[in-house]
Amino acid sequence: MSSQTETIRRVTVPQLRARKGADPIVSLTAYHAHTAAIAEKYCDFLLVGDSLGMVMHGMESTVGVSLELMIMHGKAVVRGTKRALVVVDMPFGSYEESPSQAFRNAAKIMKETQCQAVKLEGGARMAETIKFLSERGIPVMAHIGLTPQSTNIMGGFKTQGRDEDEWQFHIDDAVAVADAGAFAVVVEGVVEPLADKITKAIDVPTIGIGASKTCDGQILVMEDMLGLNDWVPKFVKKFGAVGEAIEDAIASYAEDVKSRAFPTQDNVYNNK
């Protein structure tokens, strides 16, 4: 009797949305096919974040990331995965001008990458755009709190909500994007009690990054949690020391090449 291979199905937007208040949602950023294939074994969704501009391309901020760059990395992540829901960031300048501009570029991202959703930054000011996209078949993950594309206005990567007088502004942002149709909301760089209030104020999952354990899920930049970067924000826990392992391996390779210990007979081709 032949065994049948079980069909692997991707996590869907409705399934993720239904995780509000349930088991915590696990997520990481991903930019390559091979790391995405590893991460999806453990993650419910993967975010092709515009943080790739800084992590992969050495930019000082995410502002310089282009639509074409997001699409290129989005394609790689989708190709490398079968199960995880894939969300692609809309880069700075691709959605702020108008809902029509946002739809045109979001549709381009989804068509060319075959991802399942897009993410955009901004609270109440982006509610109209989120509603416009959602009503036209484009699932949107919102992003509030510390929004990296706005760091030039914020004056850097600054924690939000240290002044309690600001809390209602951020709560209103969360409510506005959830009411507009966002299926989940990334809450970044806000003080813990504010993140807790935001999570309780909306009926869609919150995904915390530098927020609170009470969020419905968590996300980190993969390279940060793997220990590939020397400096990471306070909210990052290094779960690995991949950077050190890479350096050790390269150092060993260089030593073997210089001493002619590599290649050995096991690494070359003979004519017999």
Side-chain angles (χ1 to χ4, degrees), residues 84-241:
L85 184 146
V86 177
V87 183
V88 176
D89 256 339
M90 297 194 71
F92 178 73
S94 69
Y95 62 93
E96 295 91 341
E97 182 179 328
S98 67
S100 296
Q101 180 210 28
F103 177 81
R104 183 167 59 253
N105 289 323
K108 181 178 176 67
I109 289 172
M110 295 194 71
K111 281 183 177 182
E112 295 193 22
T113 68
Q114 296 296 297
C115 69
Q116 290 73 57
V118 298
K119 181 174 77 64
L120 54 79
E121 294 183 5
R125 64 184 175 84
M126 296 310 304
E128 180 186 359
T129 295
I130 292 170
K131 186 173 188 293
F132 191 88
L133 297 182
S134 299
E135 289 178 344
R136 288 159 177 79
I138 296 180
V140 179
M141 179 176 286
H143 184 157
I144 65 168
L146 195 168
T147 47
Q149 293 176 9
S150 302
T151 53
N152 286 323
I153 291 176
M154 292 180 173
F157 295 87
K158 295 184 176 181
T159 304
Q160 303 295 295
R162 292 195 184 279
D163 183 348
E164 286 192 38
D165 291 340
E166 301 173 5
W167 285 15
Q168 193 59 49
F169 169 81
H170 294 290
I171 293 169
D172 290 346
D173 267 354
V175 170
V177 296
D179 288 350
F183 70 90
V185 181
V186 172
V187 180
E188 179 172 1
V190 303
V191 296
E192 186 173 24
L194 172 57
D196 184 53
K197 286 182 176 294
I198 289 172
T199 298
K200 292 174 180 175
I202 60 177
D203 61 359
V204 299
T206 53
I207 310 298
I209 176 167
S212 170
K213 69 170 66 176
T214 62
C215 289
D216 298 292
Q218 302 292 330
I219 188 169
L220 286 174
V221 172
M222 186 186 296
E223 284 74 5
D224 287 348
M225 57 83 69
L226 287 177
L228 277 167
N229 297 320
D230 291 333
W231 180 89
V232 295
K234 175 186 177 180
F235 58 75
V236 174
K237 176 180 177 180
K238 289 188 177 182
F239 289 85

Side-chain angles (χ1 to χ4, degrees), residues 30-132:
Y31 316 120
H32 329 82
H34 60 287
T35 51
I38 296 170
E40 77 157 350
K41 297 175 185 178
Y42 309 96
C43 294
D44 301 296
F45 79 90
L46 297 175
L47 172 66
V48 186
D50 60 0
S51 50
L52 63 85
M54 302 170 72
V55 173
M56 296 292 302
H57 298 277
M59 299 179 183
E60 291 187 1
S61 75
T62 61
V63 173
V65 176
S66 67
L67 192 67
E68 291 70 28
L69 200 57
M70 294 306 308
I71 289 172
M72 180 181 72
H73 286 277
K75 285 179 178 179
V77 170
V78 172
R79 282 196 296 260
T81 56
K82 296 179 180 179
R83 190 193 70 83
L85 184 146
V86 177
V87 183
V88 176
D89 256 339
M90 297 194 71
F92 178 73
S94 69
Y95 62 93
E96 295 91 341
E97 182 179 328
S98 67
S100 296
Q101 180 210 28
F103 177 81
R104 183 167 59 253
N105 289 323
K108 181 178 176 67
I109 289 172
M110 295 194 71
K111 281 183 177 182
E112 295 193 22
T113 68
Q114 296 296 297
C115 69
Q116 290 73 57
V118 298
K119 181 174 77 64
L120 54 79
E121 294 183 5
R125 64 184 175 84
M126 296 310 304
E128 180 186 359
T129 295
I130 292 170
K131 186 173 188 293
F132 191 88

